[in-house]
Amino acid sequence: MTDIVGKSWADIKIIALEKANDLPDYKKRLLFEFKEIEKQGAMSKWEEFYNEKKKFDSNPNNLVLPWVLNLLVDCDDPMAGRSDKILNTVRASKVYEYIKKHDHAPSDFVKDPDMPDIDLDCLPKARDPIKEYAMKQYGKDINDGYGPVCSVGTWQTYKLRSAIIDTISAMGFEKSAAWEVTTKLPDEVDDLKDGGKALCKGRIIQNGEESECGHRHPNVKCPKCGSTDTDGPTIAKLFAEHEMLANFAIEYPDVITCAVRIVGRIRNMGMHAGALIIADRSLYGNVPLARSNNKGYWISMWSEGRSPQLSKFGYIKWDILGLKTLQYIFNCCKLIEMNRGISFGDEYLQKSGHSQDLPPAMTGWDDIDPSENRAGHFFDENGVKHDISLNDKFALSLADEQKTDGVFQFDTDLAKSILANGVTNFNDLLFYNAAGHPGPMASIPEAVDNRDNDTGWRKKLKNIHPQLLEILDDTYGIILWQEQLAAIWQNLGGFTAPEAQDARKAVAKKWAHKLRGIEAKWILGASKSIGSDNAKDLWQKMVSFGRYAFNRSHGISYCLVAYRCLWLKAHFAPEWWAAVMSDCHPDKLVRYMGIARSEGWKPTDITRLGNYNSSADVKSVVFDTLNMYNLTSDFTVTGNVVNQGMIGIKGIGESVAEQYEGRIDFTDIDDFIDKKGGKKKTILERFIKLGSFKNVPGHENSKALWTYYQYKYCTGKDITKLKSELREMLLAREGWDSSTINDEIDRQIKEYRNTFPNRRKIPPKITNWKPKPDDSREKIMSLIVDDFTAENILEFEKEYLGYYLHSPLDIYDIEGNCTIENAKEVFENGGSPRIEAVIIDIDFAQTRTHKDYCRLIVSDGVQTALVLIWENELRIQREENLVPGSGVQIPVDYDKSRNSFVLHRGDMILKLLRKGWDKKQCLKD
Ligand SMILES: [Zn+2]
């Protein structure tokens, strides 16, 4: 029988080594592969391959063994593409050798190479091109198929629901049975952990001492202590809570058993959207790689959470992040350029005309020089260059007044409350932005006090140590930046730069074990220069505030982005809001629209931007319908008016928007339809009903235009009646009725008889004759006198946009009691304001003490305001008055601390009457 047994693993090794005898590299690699195969106990697999001469159709992990054994098909020499530049960690023995030889440690030797991540914020649309660029640029010299750049992987783990779905299909049952259950289960079931168990939180007494039970079990009740308290769901608890899950478990017991077991295991690998590893050599052999199905990128299987491991090997992770604010700024500048001819990019200015496919470079924003108080520059429409001040008082006053909605970093209530401490220069903004975090926030009052009052802090710091004042001078005596921490350690505590760097990291990461040593070193060193009391005092501040300290350049960069937002918003509010509203979350649209209207702006006099025209009146930002002469997908600006974009209209998608987009000259709606199309009723109906043609001469009446459009372009049964009615009206207008028509027929018959006396039969053309009216657009439209009512228009806006472009108060009889604008003033002057507005949104909530209250967002067409109704008042309101869309009169107080209105104590919200309704009649009803 021995002759049919093929070669053994020992034989194969000999054959392979013989083949590689003259190739030392191959031999070396083979020996390595032998060792690995034996370690894995895979020898019999190779015997099988060899004896049956199974062919590999691809190169399995670049092994040399199948190649020398001729088991490979269509594959190149695996050694040829192999990079020998495999990274090694620094070995202690090597360092020791070096020190023995040179008497000092190698200068580039870093003991703990904890590399930082590098974050790069970019336009969201630019992220993928930047990634592609990095791969191309850094991979151009490495052609091994792997390259030096890869994406970073992410792992998805099994949750109960995904585990059930995958298990059921793996076991060959119908997936739909699982779907039915999993789609109905709440998200909480996914909190179930590996094995369906949880830790018991019951209290037990052991040896006379009370402690937590801590038993891990899958039951409802702990088998050890009987408690039902656990740190998460158990599988038995889920069965008890969700009957359908329990029933499913009865029907498919194996599915549940298996699914519970795989919960928490890795389900599949994904790709981090922005993270990249960029190395200086091929990643092959250095980083475990997998290839993504998507775009074919190589992905590091050291996934995101493992970046410390990556950095231990000297790799740096880049996070390329799309930042929406940059899109706002970019789009705003583009709109300003198109609307006002003002350019923020040098290159762009040189190119004549507005090239759509060449985006402006906006290099003007890079021209920053704090020593010259410059945050950038722009060119006015005449090509004259103007500097953008780093301390523009209008931009700063927006921040000072907390008008920072939509502004990067300052859009939250918390940020606004910090701004309330006053903003007079860029440095203030910088300080607030960096201090707006839990630790340093506590130091804001001290900093503001130091800034605004003669507290003698400079003298105090100088007395401690002159260098301390130098370090903390521009942050009002407060530790704000990482650099300040490092400088204090170095200058006052005698730390070396790496020691200071180490200390900073320990503080930031709260490494208790390291902090003790650092503290001792600091107290020892600093006591010599500033005395032990000061040293202890400073140490406390450094560990409490320093934890959150920003890196200074990061802080300044972010603040500059925020400053650009403020500057654009202050000087070009219509463009700013159009840009923000085109890209913001749809939920924010209505609020932003209200804020834009209420905050207003002062139209910029561009030639005097440096010395801004401060006497100009504050104007509300006006929103209007589409501009038919320049249709755009997003919001756009014409003059000082923000125009609705097409994408925001329900029923209009990207392809339709594309068809209509662009500037166009036309004389009337027929010409427009001729040039752009418009046979599709739904689209033109929206344009017309939203009043978009009103600016076209002769098209002022939208209802008349809508009638004409249906007459001319619509077909179908529902339109026949309208068409014949219109024809009748036109005829009547021209003086035709049945008797004049009959007279005319008689006249024609008479004429025919005279002309053809021998013919007996009168042609039907004459007997059935009907007059043909002039049904031109002008004539048809002149028949419709009344336009859509304000109420109609609001309905259209609500239906097609979901919000109001026009004032919703137009349909009500208002008494002129109070607008939101002057309610605050009336209240502060001791009056009792009654706001007249329309309810936009209602939100019922509970306070922390479980009291019901209600938040009303109301709009008077110009501004929006928040009105709070506390529990007592809420109880006495009439429900029908608390409905979105209803016009109401609200007696309010102004609550300064909340910067909002509160329904006056014991008072009620009254309904406004619709226009034309008889008040007495209404009250009787
Ligand atoms: Zn227990």
Side-chain angles (χ1 to χ4, degrees), residues 532-561:
S532 69
D533 285 351
N534 282 329
K536 280 178 197 159
D537 193 39
L538 257 180
W539 175 258
Q540 276 316 314
K541 284 186 177 160
M542 288 195 285
V543 287
S544 57
F545 302 153
R547 258 181 62 201
Y548 299 92
F550 268 3
N551 152 314
R552 190 184 213 130
S553 72
H554 176 268
I556 292 174
S557 303
Y558 264 37
C559 193
L560 264 174
V561 172

PDB file of all heavy atoms in Angstrom, residues 532-561:
ATOM      1  N   SER A 532       6.971  76.918  47.506  1.00  0.00           N
ATOM      2  CA  SER A 532       6.178  75.686  47.477  1.00  0.00           C
ATOM      3  C   SER A 532       4.677  75.971  47.472  1.00  0.00           C
ATOM      4  O   SER A 532       3.905  75.235  46.866  1.00  0.00           O
ATOM      5  CB  SER A 532       6.556  74.781  48.655  1.00  0.00           C
ATOM      6  OG  SER A 532       6.123  75.382  49.864  1.00  0.00           O
ATOM      7  N   ASP A 533       4.218  77.037  48.122  1.00  0.00           N
ATOM      8  CA  ASP A 533       2.780  77.336  48.128  1.00  0.00           C
ATOM      9  C   ASP A 533       2.285  77.627  46.718  1.00  0.00           C
ATOM     10  O   ASP A 533       1.263  77.098  46.278  1.00  0.00           O
ATOM     11  CB  ASP A 533       2.474  78.534  49.037  1.00  0.00           C
ATOM     12  CG  ASP A 533       2.560  78.141  50.502  1.00  0.00           C
ATOM     13  OD1 ASP A 533       2.691  76.914  50.759  1.00  0.00           O
ATOM     14  OD2 ASP A 533       2.513  79.032  51.364  1.00  0.00           O
ATOM     15  N   ASN A 534       3.022  78.515  46.030  1.00  0.00           N
ATOM     16  CA  ASN A 534       2.653  78.843  44.652  1.00  0.00           C
ATOM     17  C   ASN A 534       2.721  77.609  43.760  1.00  0.00           C
ATOM     18  O   ASN A 534       1.886  77.420  42.876  1.00  0.00           O
ATOM     19  CB  ASN A 534       3.591  79.914  44.090  1.00  0.00           C
ATOM     20  CG  ASN A 534       3.223  81.289  44.607  1.00  0.00           C
ATOM     21  OD1 ASN A 534       2.055  81.566  44.878  1.00  0.00           O
ATOM     22  ND2 ASN A 534       4.221  82.141  44.785  1.00  0.00           N
ATOM     23  N   ALA A 535       3.720  76.773  44.021  1.00  0.00           N
ATOM     24  CA  ALA A 535       3.897  75.574  43.198  1.00  0.00           C
ATOM     25  C   ALA A 535       2.685  74.662  43.358  1.00  0.00           C
ATOM     26  O   ALA A 535       2.148  74.143  42.383  1.00  0.00           O
ATOM     27  CB  ALA A 535       5.178  74.843  43.579  1.00  0.00           C
ATOM     28  N   LYS A 536       2.246  74.477  44.608  1.00  0.00           N
ATOM     29  CA  LYS A 536       1.084  73.616  44.863  1.00  0.00           C
ATOM     30  C   LYS A 536      -0.177  74.215  44.236  1.00  0.00           C
ATOM     31  O   LYS A 536      -0.989  73.511  43.631  1.00  0.00           O
ATOM     32  CB  LYS A 536       0.874  73.451  46.372  1.00  0.00           C
ATOM     33  CG  LYS A 536       1.799  72.417  46.989  1.00  0.00           C
ATOM     34  CD  LYS A 536       1.589  72.319  48.494  1.00  0.00           C
ATOM     35  CE  LYS A 536       2.781  71.602  49.128  1.00  0.00           C
ATOM     36  NZ  LYS A 536       2.893  71.908  50.563  1.00  0.00           N
ATOM     37  N   ASP A 537      -0.318  75.518  44.418  1.00  0.00           N
ATOM     38  CA  ASP A 537      -1.484  76.229  43.882  1.00  0.00           C
ATOM     39  C   ASP A 537      -1.563  76.071  42.364  1.00  0.00           C
ATOM     40  O   ASP A 537      -2.609  75.739  41.802  1.00  0.00           O
ATOM     41  CB  ASP A 537      -1.342  77.709  44.272  1.00  0.00           C
ATOM     42  CG  ASP A 537      -2.648  78.450  44.049  1.00  0.00           C
ATOM     43  OD1 ASP A 537      -3.701  77.854  44.330  1.00  0.00           O
ATOM     44  OD2 ASP A 537      -2.601  79.613  43.585  1.00  0.00           O
ATOM     45  N   LEU A 538      -0.436  76.296  41.706  1.00  0.00           N
ATOM     46  CA  LEU A 538      -0.400  76.194  40.244  1.00  0.00           C
ATOM     47  C   LEU A 538      -0.664  74.761  39.780  1.00  0.00           C
ATOM     48  O   LEU A 538      -1.321  74.527  38.777  1.00  0.00           O
ATOM     49  CB  LEU A 538       0.962  76.659  39.717  1.00  0.00           C
ATOM     50  CG  LEU A 538       1.016  78.056  39.104  1.00  0.00           C
ATOM     51  CD1 LEU A 538       2.436  78.350  38.642  1.00  0.00           C
ATOM     52  CD2 LEU A 538       0.055  78.181  37.934  1.00  0.00           C
ATOM     53  N   TRP A 539      -0.123  73.813  40.527  1.00  0.00           N
ATOM     54  CA  TRP A 539      -0.319  72.407  40.154  1.00  0.00           C
ATOM     55  C   TRP A 539      -1.811  72.075  40.105  1.00  0.00           C
ATOM     56  O   TRP A 539      -2.290  71.432  39.176  1.00  0.00           O
ATOM     57  CB  TRP A 539       0.403  71.488  41.136  1.00  0.00           C
ATOM     58  CG  TRP A 539       0.123  70.042  40.854  1.00  0.00           C
ATOM     59  CD1 TRP A 539      -0.723  69.222  41.514  1.00  0.00           C
ATOM     60  CD2 TRP A 539       0.663  69.275  39.773  1.00  0.00           C
ATOM     61  NE1 TRP A 539      -0.751  67.978  40.936  1.00  0.00           N
ATOM     62  CE2 TRP A 539       0.091  67.990  39.853  1.00  0.00           C
ATOM     63  CE3 TRP A 539       1.562  69.548  38.750  1.00  0.00           C
ATOM     64  CZ2 TRP A 539       0.390  66.975  38.951  1.00  0.00           C
ATOM     65  CZ3 TRP A 539       1.866  68.535  37.856  1.00  0.00           C
ATOM     66  CH2 TRP A 539       1.281  67.264  37.956  1.00  0.00           C
ATOM     67  N   GLN A 540      -2.539  72.548  41.106  1.00  0.00           N
ATOM     68  CA  GLN A 540      -3.976  72.311  41.129  1.00  0.00           C
ATOM     69  C   GLN A 540      -4.646  72.841  39.864  1.00  0.00           C
ATOM     70  O   GLN A 540      -5.480  72.187  39.248  1.00  0.00           O
ATOM     71  CB  GLN A 540      -4.620  72.971  42.363  1.00  0.00           C
ATOM     72  CG  GLN A 540      -4.549  72.118  43.615  1.00  0.00           C
ATOM     73  CD  GLN A 540      -4.896  70.661  43.350  1.00  0.00           C
ATOM     74  OE1 GLN A 540      -5.875  70.361  42.681  1.00  0.00           O
ATOM     75  NE2 GLN A 540      -4.079  69.740  43.848  1.00  0.00           N
ATOM     76  N   LYS A 541      -4.254  74.077  39.512  1.00  0.00           N
ATOM     77  CA  LYS A 541      -4.856  74.680  38.309  1.00  0.00           C
ATOM     78  C   LYS A 541      -4.475  73.918  37.049  1.00  0.00           C
ATOM     79  O   LYS A 541      -5.293  73.749  36.145  1.00  0.00           O
ATOM     80  CB  LYS A 541      -4.384  76.141  38.177  1.00  0.00           C
ATOM     81  CG  LYS A 541      -5.106  77.049  39.157  1.00  0.00           C
ATOM     82  CD  LYS A 541      -4.756  78.494  38.921  1.00  0.00           C
ATOM     83  CE  LYS A 541      -5.552  79.364  39.881  1.00  0.00           C
ATOM     84  NZ  LYS A 541      -4.970  80.691  40.047  1.00  0.00           N
ATOM     85  N   MET A 542      -3.239  73.476  37.021  1.00  0.00           N
ATOM     86  CA  MET A 542      -2.776  72.804  35.811  1.00  0.00           C
ATOM     87  C   MET A 542      -3.499  71.486  35.596  1.00  0.00           C
ATOM     88  O   MET A 542      -3.841  71.128  34.482  1.00  0.00           O
ATOM     89  CB  MET A 542      -1.259  72.599  35.863  1.00  0.00           C
ATOM     90  CG  MET A 542      -0.508  73.907  35.674  1.00  0.00           C
ATOM     91  SD  MET A 542       1.224  73.679  35.303  1.00  0.00           S
ATOM     92  CE  MET A 542       1.859  73.213  36.888  1.00  0.00           C
ATOM     93  N   VAL A 543      -3.718  70.736  36.672  1.00  0.00           N
ATOM     94  CA  VAL A 543      -4.380  69.445  36.468  1.00  0.00           C
ATOM     95  C   VAL A 543      -5.885  69.588  36.249  1.00  0.00           C
ATOM     96  O   VAL A 543      -6.488  68.787  35.563  1.00  0.00           O
ATOM     97  CB  VAL A 543      -4.118  68.423  37.611  1.00  0.00           C
ATOM     98  CG1 VAL A 543      -2.711  67.897  37.527  1.00  0.00           C
ATOM     99  CG2 VAL A 543      -4.404  69.020  38.954  1.00  0.00           C
ATOM    100  N   SER A 544      -6.493  70.621  36.840  1.00  0.00           N
ATOM    101  CA  SER A 544      -7.944  70.737  36.644  1.00  0.00           C
ATOM    102  C   SER A 544      -8.294  71.380  35.312  1.00  0.00           C
ATOM    103  O   SER A 544      -9.123  70.870  34.567  1.00  0.00           O
ATOM    104  CB  SER A 544      -8.578  71.496  37.803  1.00  0.00           C
ATOM    105  OG  SER A 544      -7.993  72.767  37.934  1.00  0.00           O
ATOM    106  N   PHE A 545      -7.675  72.506  34.965  1.00  0.00           N
ATOM    107  CA  PHE A 545      -8.002  73.180  33.703  1.00  0.00           C
ATOM    108  C   PHE A 545      -7.206  72.607  32.540  1.00  0.00           C
ATOM    109  O   PHE A 545      -7.691  72.552  31.422  1.00  0.00           O
ATOM    110  CB  PHE A 545      -7.714  74.682  33.800  1.00  0.00           C
ATOM    111  CG  PHE A 545      -8.466  75.351  34.905  1.00  0.00           C
ATOM    112  CD1 PHE A 545      -7.961  76.503  35.497  1.00  0.00           C
ATOM    113  CD2 PHE A 545      -9.668  74.838  35.368  1.00  0.00           C
ATOM    114  CE1 PHE A 545      -8.654  77.129  36.527  1.00  0.00           C
ATOM    115  CE2 PHE A 545     -10.360  75.454  36.398  1.00  0.00           C
ATOM    116  CZ  PHE A 545      -9.848  76.606  36.976  1.00  0.00           C
ATOM    117  N   GLY A 546      -5.982  72.214  32.843  1.00  0.00           N
ATOM    118  CA  GLY A 546      -5.081  71.803  31.766  1.00  0.00           C
ATOM    119  C   GLY A 546      -5.563  70.589  31.013  1.00  0.00           C
ATOM    120  O   GLY A 546      -5.231  70.397  29.851  1.00  0.00           O
ATOM    121  N   ARG A 547      -6.406  69.793  31.660  1.00  0.00           N
ATOM    122  CA  ARG A 547      -6.901  68.587  31.015  1.00  0.00           C
ATOM    123  C   ARG A 547      -7.592  68.870  29.700  1.00  0.00           C
ATOM    124  O   ARG A 547      -7.570  68.082  28.774  1.00  0.00           O
ATOM    125  CB  ARG A 547      -7.924  67.924  31.942  1.00  0.00           C
ATOM    126  CG  ARG A 547      -7.386  66.756  32.685  1.00  0.00           C
ATOM    127  CD  ARG A 547      -8.463  66.167  33.528  1.00  0.00           C
ATOM    128  NE  ARG A 547      -9.557  65.679  32.711  1.00  0.00           N
ATOM    129  CZ  ARG A 547     -10.776  65.484  33.160  1.00  0.00           C
ATOM    130  NH1 ARG A 547     -11.064  65.753  34.408  1.00  0.00           N
ATOM    131  NH2 ARG A 547     -11.714  65.028  32.364  1.00  0.00           N
ATOM    132  N   TYR A 548      -8.275  70.014  29.652  1.00  0.00           N
ATOM    133  CA  TYR A 548      -9.066  70.313  28.464  1.00  0.00           C
ATOM    134  C   TYR A 548      -8.368  71.280  27.519  1.00  0.00           C
ATOM    135  O   TYR A 548      -8.945  71.737  26.564  1.00  0.00           O
ATOM    136  CB  TYR A 548     -10.417  70.907  28.881  1.00  0.00           C
ATOM    137  CG  TYR A 548     -11.221  69.967  29.730  1.00  0.00           C
ATOM    138  CD1 TYR A 548     -11.120  70.011  31.115  1.00  0.00           C
ATOM    139  CD2 TYR A 548     -12.060  69.033  29.139  1.00  0.00           C
ATOM    140  CE1 TYR A 548     -11.851  69.133  31.898  1.00  0.00           C
ATOM    141  CE2 TYR A 548     -12.792  68.161  29.911  1.00  0.00           C
ATOM    142  CZ  TYR A 548     -12.692  68.216  31.299  1.00  0.00           C
ATOM    143  OH  TYR A 548     -13.408  67.347  32.066  1.00  0.00           O
ATOM    144  N   ALA A 549      -7.126  71.612  27.879  1.00  0.00           N
ATOM    145  CA  ALA A 549      -6.439  72.645  27.098  1.00  0.00           C
ATOM    146  C   ALA A 549      -6.319  72.241  25.634  1.00  0.00           C
ATOM    147  O   ALA A 549      -5.955  71.120  25.309  1.00  0.00           O
ATOM    148  CB  ALA A 549      -5.063  72.908  27.693  1.00  0.00           C
ATOM    149  N   PHE A 550      -6.658  73.176  24.785  1.00  0.00           N
ATOM    150  CA  PHE A 550      -6.502  73.006  23.343  1.00  0.00           C
ATOM    151  C   PHE A 550      -5.057  73.246  22.967  1.00  0.00           C
ATOM    152  O   PHE A 550      -4.351  73.984  23.627  1.00  0.00           O
ATOM    153  CB  PHE A 550      -7.294  74.086  22.615  1.00  0.00           C
ATOM    154  CG  PHE A 550      -8.684  73.720  22.240  1.00  0.00           C
ATOM    155  CD1 PHE A 550      -9.231  72.509  22.589  1.00  0.00           C
ATOM    156  CD2 PHE A 550      -9.446  74.621  21.518  1.00  0.00           C
ATOM    157  CE1 PHE A 550     -10.528  72.195  22.222  1.00  0.00           C
ATOM    158  CE2 PHE A 550     -10.737  74.321  21.154  1.00  0.00           C
ATOM    159  CZ  PHE A 550     -11.274  73.112  21.509  1.00  0.00           C
ATOM    160  N   ASN A 551      -4.703  72.697  21.868  1.00  0.00           N
ATOM    161  CA  ASN A 551      -3.475  73.088  21.218  1.00  0.00           C
ATOM    162  C   ASN A 551      -3.768  74.446  20.584  1.00  0.00           C
ATOM    163  O   ASN A 551      -4.835  74.681  20.051  1.00  0.00           O
ATOM    164  CB  ASN A 551      -3.206  71.955  20.221  1.00  0.00           C
ATOM    165  CG  ASN A 551      -2.452  72.320  19.030  1.00  0.00           C
ATOM    166  OD1 ASN A 551      -2.709  73.324  18.377  1.00  0.00           O
ATOM    167  ND2 ASN A 551      -1.514  71.487  18.722  1.00  0.00           N
ATOM    168  N   ARG A 552      -2.830  75.373  20.738  1.00  0.00           N
ATOM    169  CA  ARG A 552      -3.112  76.765  20.385  1.00  0.00           C
ATOM    170  C   ARG A 552      -3.454  76.947  18.904  1.00  0.00           C
ATOM    171  O   ARG A 552      -4.403  77.662  18.564  1.00  0.00           O
ATOM    172  CB  ARG A 552      -1.913  77.626  20.758  1.00  0.00           C
ATOM    173  CG  ARG A 552      -2.186  79.096  20.663  1.00  0.00           C
ATOM    174  CD  ARG A 552      -0.928  79.895  20.949  1.00  0.00           C
ATOM    175  NE  ARG A 552      -1.242  81.159  21.604  1.00  0.00           N
ATOM    176  CZ  ARG A 552      -0.656  81.593  22.700  1.00  0.00           C
ATOM    177  NH1 ARG A 552       0.275  80.865  23.276  1.00  0.00           N
ATOM    178  NH2 ARG A 552      -0.983  82.749  23.222  1.00  0.00           N
ATOM    179  N   SER A 553      -2.700  76.297  18.043  1.00  0.00           N
ATOM    180  CA  SER A 553      -2.950  76.525  16.610  1.00  0.00           C
ATOM    181  C   SER A 553      -4.327  75.972  16.218  1.00  0.00           C
ATOM    182  O   SER A 553      -5.023  76.540  15.388  1.00  0.00           O
ATOM    183  CB  SER A 553      -1.855  75.888  15.765  1.00  0.00           C
ATOM    184  OG  SER A 553      -1.987  74.490  15.770  1.00  0.00           O
ATOM    185  N   HIS A 554      -4.699  74.875  16.851  1.00  0.00           N
ATOM    186  CA  HIS A 554      -6.022  74.317  16.589  1.00  0.00           C
ATOM    187  C   HIS A 554      -7.098  75.300  17.037  1.00  0.00           C
ATOM    188  O   HIS A 554      -8.061  75.576  16.329  1.00  0.00           O
ATOM    189  CB  HIS A 554      -6.165  72.982  17.334  1.00  0.00           C
ATOM    190  CG  HIS A 554      -7.514  72.360  17.207  1.00  0.00           C
ATOM    191  ND1 HIS A 554      -8.519  72.586  18.115  1.00  0.00           N
ATOM    192  CD2 HIS A 554      -8.020  71.547  16.272  1.00  0.00           C
ATOM    193  CE1 HIS A 554      -9.591  71.916  17.744  1.00  0.00           C
ATOM    194  NE2 HIS A 554      -9.324  71.282  16.628  1.00  0.00           N
ATOM    195  N   GLY A 555      -6.902  75.860  18.241  1.00  0.00           N
ATOM    196  CA  GLY A 555      -7.864  76.819  18.769  1.00  0.00           C
ATOM    197  C   GLY A 555      -7.998  78.030  17.873  1.00  0.00           C
ATOM    198  O   GLY A 555      -9.109  78.493  17.587  1.00  0.00           O
ATOM    199  N   ILE A 556      -6.873  78.531  17.397  1.00  0.00           N
ATOM    200  CA  ILE A 556      -6.910  79.725  16.555  1.00  0.00           C
ATOM    201  C   ILE A 556      -7.562  79.406  15.203  1.00  0.00           C
ATOM    202  O   ILE A 556      -8.380  80.174  14.699  1.00  0.00           O
ATOM    203  CB  ILE A 556      -5.484  80.300  16.366  1.00  0.00           C
ATOM    204  CG1 ILE A 556      -4.979  80.851  17.702  1.00  0.00           C
ATOM    205  CG2 ILE A 556      -5.475  81.394  15.301  1.00  0.00           C
ATOM    206  CD1 ILE A 556      -3.547  81.317  17.690  1.00  0.00           C
ATOM    207  N   SER A 557      -7.219  78.246  14.639  1.00  0.00           N
ATOM    208  CA  SER A 557      -7.800  77.892  13.343  1.00  0.00           C
ATOM    209  C   SER A 557      -9.324  77.798  13.430  1.00  0.00           C
ATOM    210  O   SER A 557     -10.035  78.323  12.577  1.00  0.00           O
ATOM    211  CB  SER A 557      -7.271  76.538  12.868  1.00  0.00           C
ATOM    212  OG  SER A 557      -5.888  76.564  12.805  1.00  0.00           O
ATOM    213  N   TYR A 558      -9.779  77.124  14.461  1.00  0.00           N
ATOM    214  CA  TYR A 558     -11.220  76.972  14.603  1.00  0.00           C
ATOM    215  C   TYR A 558     -11.895  78.322  14.820  1.00  0.00           C
ATOM    216  O   TYR A 558     -12.972  78.581  14.303  1.00  0.00           O
ATOM    217  CB  TYR A 558     -11.556  75.996  15.742  1.00  0.00           C
ATOM    218  CG  TYR A 558     -11.797  74.602  15.238  1.00  0.00           C
ATOM    219  CD1 TYR A 558     -11.042  74.095  14.187  1.00  0.00           C
ATOM    220  CD2 TYR A 558     -12.784  73.793  15.783  1.00  0.00           C
ATOM    221  CE1 TYR A 558     -11.260  72.825  13.701  1.00  0.00           C
ATOM    222  CE2 TYR A 558     -13.009  72.511  15.300  1.00  0.00           C
ATOM    223  CZ  TYR A 558     -12.243  72.035  14.259  1.00  0.00           C
ATOM    224  OH  TYR A 558     -12.477  70.778  13.769  1.00  0.00           O
ATOM    225  N   CYS A 559     -11.244  79.161  15.586  1.00  0.00           N
ATOM    226  CA  CYS A 559     -11.840  80.463  15.865  1.00  0.00           C
ATOM    227  C   CYS A 559     -11.868  81.320  14.603  1.00  0.00           C
ATOM    228  O   CYS A 559     -12.795  82.089  14.392  1.00  0.00           O
ATOM    229  CB  CYS A 559     -11.077  81.159  16.978  1.00  0.00           C
ATOM    230  SG  CYS A 559     -11.969  82.577  17.619  1.00  0.00           S
ATOM    231  N   LEU A 560     -10.854  81.161  13.760  1.00  0.00           N
ATOM    232  CA  LEU A 560     -10.851  81.903  12.490  1.00  0.00           C
ATOM    233  C   LEU A 560     -12.029  81.475  11.612  1.00  0.00           C
ATOM    234  O   LEU A 560     -12.653  82.306  10.960  1.00  0.00           O
ATOM    235  CB  LEU A 560      -9.546  81.644  11.732  1.00  0.00           C
ATOM    236  CG  LEU A 560      -8.446  82.682  11.922  1.00  0.00           C
ATOM    237  CD1 LEU A 560      -7.178  82.221  11.230  1.00  0.00           C
ATOM    238  CD2 LEU A 560      -8.875  84.047  11.394  1.00  0.00           C
ATOM    239  N   VAL A 561     -12.310  80.194  11.621  1.00  0.00           N
ATOM    240  CA  VAL A 561     -13.460  79.710  10.852  1.00  0.00           C
ATOM    241  C   VAL A 561     -14.745  80.349  11.398  1.00  0.00           C
ATOM    242  O   VAL A 561     -15.591  80.826  10.649  1.00  0.00           O
ATOM    243  CB  VAL A 561     -13.542  78.168  10.887  1.00  0.00           C
ATOM    244  CG1 VAL A 561     -14.836  77.687  10.251  1.00  0.00           C
ATOM    245  CG2 VAL A 561     -12.354  77.553  10.160  1.00  0.00           C
TER     246      VAL A 561
END
